[in-house]
Amino acid sequence: MKYPIGIQNFEKIRKEGYGYVDKTAHIYNLVKSGTYYFLSRPRRFGKSLLLSTIESYFKGQKHLFEGLAIEQFETEWKEYPVLHFDLNAKKFDTLEDLYDLVGRQLERYELQYDTVAVDQSLDGRFYNLIMAVAEKTGKKTVVLVDEYDKPLLQAIGNPDLQNAYR
């Protein structure tokens, strides 16, 4: 068995035959029993892989789940639009660094879904994007945020910057 050392992408793990600890029954229960979740675990505990798995599930990628527990439970395999934001892609020395990264990720989805940013604030763009995607696809929009705490952790020792990030 190949161990997926450092690999946080569910699709890659499944397609390339790496070992995978099947948590998909738990994912199915999460998805079917609630709407909003905040998952907090220490670093290096598999949050990114979990989000990647959830993203594949919501994208309806049934073939990736063959032989896993969720295959026994899920019968519909609907595809939903997924907005996956990752705050691990940059070092955050200033508030502008955070705004730039989130702005670029918003722009990528705005282009993908051919939406126009009417409100230029990040929160306005985010809200408008979610609503536009739902309207264009006729489906609820799934939002995943990975490494949400990285800017805060990098600003330890700088309370002003931590407050700005919050």
Side-chain angles (χ1 to χ4, degrees), residues 46-149:
K47 292 183 301 287
S48 295
L49 176 56
L50 179 64
L51 282 183
S52 177
T53 307
I54 291 170
E55 179 176 7
S56 293
Y57 171 77
F58 276 114
K59 286 185 172 180
Q61 297 175 317
K62 180 181 179 179
H63 64 284
L64 296 177
F65 294 89
E66 289 176 7
L68 299 179
I70 201 168
E71 188 179 37
Q72 300 170 15
F73 305 118
E74 186 56 76
T75 58
E76 297 180 342
W77 291 99
K78 293 180 183 178
E79 183 177 349
Y80 292 90
V82 177
L83 307 178
H84 188 162
F85 294 87
D86 187 354
L87 301 185
N88 194 35
K90 185 173 184 149
K91 188 169 188 297
F92 303 98
D93 292 321
T94 67
L95 186 58
E96 289 73 30
D97 291 334
L98 178 59
Y99 283 2
D100 289 345
L101 178 67
V102 173
R104 281 195 311 277
Q105 291 185 30
L106 283 169
E107 182 178 18
R108 181 185 66 187
Y109 289 119
E110 289 165 343
L111 290 171
Q112 179 181 339
Y113 288 101
D114 194 29
T115 64
V116 178
V118 179
D119 181 345
Q120 291 303 310
S121 68
L122 289 181
D123 58 330
R125 287 174 64 195
F126 184 57
Y127 175 80
N128 290 334
L129 176 63
I130 291 170
M131 300 310 287
V133 169
E135 186 176 317
K136 284 181 183 263
T137 63
K139 297 177 180 176
K140 291 182 179 181
T141 306
V142 175
V143 178
L144 304 173
V145 181
D146 198 8
E147 297 291 342
Y148 62 87
D149 59 342

